[in-house]
Amino acid sequence: MKRITFLKSVLFTVVSPSIIITACSKKKKDAEGNVSVKTYTCPMHPQIVQNKPGTCPICGMDLVPFDKNNKDKGLTLSKDQQVLANITTIIIGAEGFEDNSYLNGKLVVNPEQTTFISSRVAGRIEELYIKETGIPVGKGQALYKIYSEDLLTLQEEYLLAVAQATQFSKDRRFQDILKASKQKLILYGQSETQIKHLADTKKTDPYIMYYAPQSGKVSEISVTEGQYVSEGSTLLQLENYNNLWVEADVYPSEIGEIKEGQKLKVIVAGWENDPQDMTLQFITPNLASSEQILQIRGSIANPDNRWQPGMQANIILAKKSSSEYLSIPINAVINDGDSRHVWVALDEERFEPRKVTTGLESFDKVEIRSGLKSGVKLVVTGAYLLYSEYVLKKGKHPLQEA
């Protein structure tokens, strides 16, 4: 009897630990029978997975725990979380992709707004009122005073014609002589006011003042005080910068995409956020003698003279894709080297990754060839934050199958 009791005691002692261990093990299993073991991954490299804390062997970041049994492909973010993550969305339209190329150009003076001040008569520059370049000149402003014996002779002829026309008022010949004499003074640059003053005072003056016919800035001075000039000599040059030409070089292979009258965009260096509209006005008919290029030209308004000739400018040449693929902002696409995906909004708080195939790319747009349709609500900013949040919560790439 004692022997049987002893054997029962030994058997109970051996079996009890196994029962206890089994019971404890069952407590670590979930409802589906899977053992709940903590799993860790790298936020930047989700391919690194292990069952204990540590650091990423690739980047050295601390591994974070995640639930590898979470099968949900999407993410849920509240309104407040979306504001903190700066998540914005757009509805994809049916517009095609446009690629832009940039033509290097520069701003130059529009010669149509350049005024050359030439001497109407031969004589000596007695006084020069504008003595340096860059000075703005208004219309009607005095430019120079000239001593001219030729003009003095014409004044005397005019006064004689006035006297004869007054004395013989009924003789048409003297009236015609007066008109011809007055016309000579006008052709020599005398204004109606100056001619009337001459007729009223009946005093000739060999020192004649000349005034600016147009407003502008003095770009060149070709004469000095005391210098003798001949009739037709260029004295000053005025330029108006309210309108500037934009010139750019084009290779012959690109000229087929450009035509006169085409609307283009121009970006002046320093004003990248303020593109200007330009109509292409001229394309050179032949190649430059020293280079295999053509030149195109248009003009842009220059309010308040904020731009100066010689500044760099780029002409944007848009190239529309022949296909009808969608285009989306390039920041919306997550490119991890092996695949590309975007995030779409399923509702106000639910977001889901979508694999896409891309095509042509520009500095701000990318062509989508598959994976998206028109009308989808797409995440534009905050896509990378959604990607990181997904990796932290799921411990895997958004496109990785369960």
Side-chain angles (χ1 to χ4, degrees):
M1 187 66 180
K2 291 183 180 180
R3 180 181 178 86
I4 295 173
T5 303
F6 175 75
L7 291 174
K8 288 182 178 180
S9 300
V10 172
L11 181 62
F12 177 79
T13 304
V14 173
V15 174
S16 293
S18 301
I19 297 173
I20 294 172
I21 292 173
T22 302
C24 293
S25 300
K26 287 182 179 179
K27 290 181 182 179
K28 292 183 180 181
K29 292 183 179 181
D30 57 19
E32 297 179 358
N34 297 320
V35 177
S36 178
V37 179
K38 277 192 175 182
T39 311
Y40 297 83
T41 187
C42 175
M44 297 300 296
H45 302 92
Q47 68 270 28
I48 304 300
V49 178
Q50 63 184 42
N51 295 329
K52 60 181 180 178
T55 58
C56 176
I58 299 177
C59 63
M61 290 183 63
D62 291 336
L63 302 182
V64 296
F66 73 97
D67 183 6
K68 68 177 181 179
N69 297 317
N70 192 335
K71 308 298 183 181
D72 189 4
K73 291 186 64 177
L75 286 175
T76 300
L77 273 73
S78 66
K79 293 290 186 181
D80 293 338
Q81 289 175 322
Q82 293 178 40
V83 172
L84 291 174
N86 190 30
I87 293 177
T88 59
T89 59
I90 61 170
I91 303 296
I92 302 175
E95 61 179 358
F97 176 80
E98 288 189 359
D99 188 15
N100 297 324
S101 62
Y102 293 82
L103 304 178
N104 293 324
K106 63 179 179 179
L107 302 180
V108 298
V109 175
N110 186 346
E112 296 175 353
Q113 298 194 8
T114 299
T115 303
F116 294 92
I117 308 298
S118 302
S119 177
R120 297 292 186 89
V121 296
R124 183 181 70 247
I125 301 298
E126 194 65 22
E127 291 187 47
L128 187 64
Y129 302 111
I130 305 297
K131 298 182 179 180
E132 57 182 312
T133 59
I135 296 177
V137 171
K139 183 178 181 179
Q141 181 177 338
L143 297 178
Y144 64 94
K145 180 191 290 185
I146 187 172
Y147 170 81
S148 174
E149 294 182 357
D150 293 342
L151 196 55
L152 179 61
T153 302
L154 291 177
Q155 291 178 354
E156 292 173 347
E157 290 180 359
Y158 176 72
L159 291 179
L160 179 59
V162 170
Q164 291 175 336
T166 302
Q167 184 177 358
F168 304 100
S169 57
K170 296 182 179 181
D171 193 330
R172 185 176 177 179
R173 290 178 301 170
F174 291 107
Q175 298 298 327
D176 292 339
I177 292 173
L178 176 60
K179 290 181 180 179
S181 180
K182 180 180 179 180
Q183 187 62 29
K184 286 182 180 180
L185 289 175
I186 292 175
L187 292 175
Y188 274 82
Q190 297 296 280
S191 65
E192 290 283 353
T193 302
Q194 290 173 310
I195 295 173
K196 185 178 183 302
H197 179 74
L198 175 62
D200 293 342
T201 60
K202 295 182 174 52
K203 292 182 179 179
T204 59
D205 187 358
Y207 299 99
I208 306 301
M209 193 89 68
Y210 279 88
Y211 303 89
Q214 297 291 337
S215 299
K217 290 187 177 181
V218 180
S219 61
E220 186 176 337
I221 301 175
S222 306
V223 70
T224 58
E225 284 186 354
Q227 180 178 339
Y228 281 87
V229 295
S230 58
E231 183 179 347
S233 300
T234 300
L235 309 180
L236 301 169
Q237 182 175 326
L238 302 180
E239 292 177 346
N240 193 321
Y241 298 147
N242 292 332
N243 185 279
L244 295 175
W245 274 1
V246 183
E247 293 183 344
D249 295 331
V250 181
Y251 290 104
S253 59
E254 297 177 315
I255 202 65
E257 304 170 6
I258 307 173
K259 60 182 179 179
E260 293 185 11
Q262 182 175 349
K263 302 294 184 180
L264 300 172
K265 290 287 186 181
V266 175
I267 297 179
V268 181
W271 280 266
E272 286 78 6
N273 295 327
D274 187 17
Q276 302 296 304
D277 294 322
M278 184 190 79
T279 301
L280 188 61
Q281 298 172 332
F282 180 75
I283 302 175
T284 53
N286 54 351
L287 298 175
S289 58
S290 58
E291 299 176 344
Q292 294 297 307
I293 57 174
L294 295 167
Q295 191 175 72
I296 63 174
R297 183 176 69 231
S299 62
I300 59 173
N302 185 24
D304 303 323
N305 291 340
R306 58 178 172 175
W307 301 315
Q308 291 76 43
M311 294 182 66
Q312 293 295 316
N314 289 327
I315 297 177
I316 302 177
L317 185 60
K319 300 177 182 179
K320 190 172 181 63
S321 174
S322 58
S323 65
E324 293 300 325
Y325 295 125
L326 297 174
S327 66
I328 64 173
I330 196 168
N331 293 333
V333 179
I334 308 298
N335 183 359
D336 57 8
D338 296 328
S339 61
R340 292 172 174 81
H341 72 278
V342 298
W343 286 84
V344 298
L346 302 179
D347 53 38
E348 295 299 324
E349 296 185 350
R350 292 280 298 165
F351 302 91
E352 186 177 273
R354 295 275 180 87
K355 183 178 181 180
V356 294
T357 303
T358 60
L360 298 175
E361 294 184 7
S362 65
F363 71 100
D364 63 342
K365 294 284 187 179
V366 60
E367 183 184 63
I368 300 298
R369 301 199 170 182
S370 66
L372 288 178
K373 294 182 179 180
S374 177
V376 172
K377 194 173 184 180
L378 180 72
V379 175
V380 179
T381 62
Y384 274 98
L385 289 176
L386 290 175
Y387 169 74
S388 300
E389 181 71 8
Y390 188 94
V391 172
L392 286 172
K393 287 185 175 181
K394 319 282 186 180
K396 61 182 180 180
H397 192 278
L399 300 182
Q400 181 180 338
E401 296 295 334

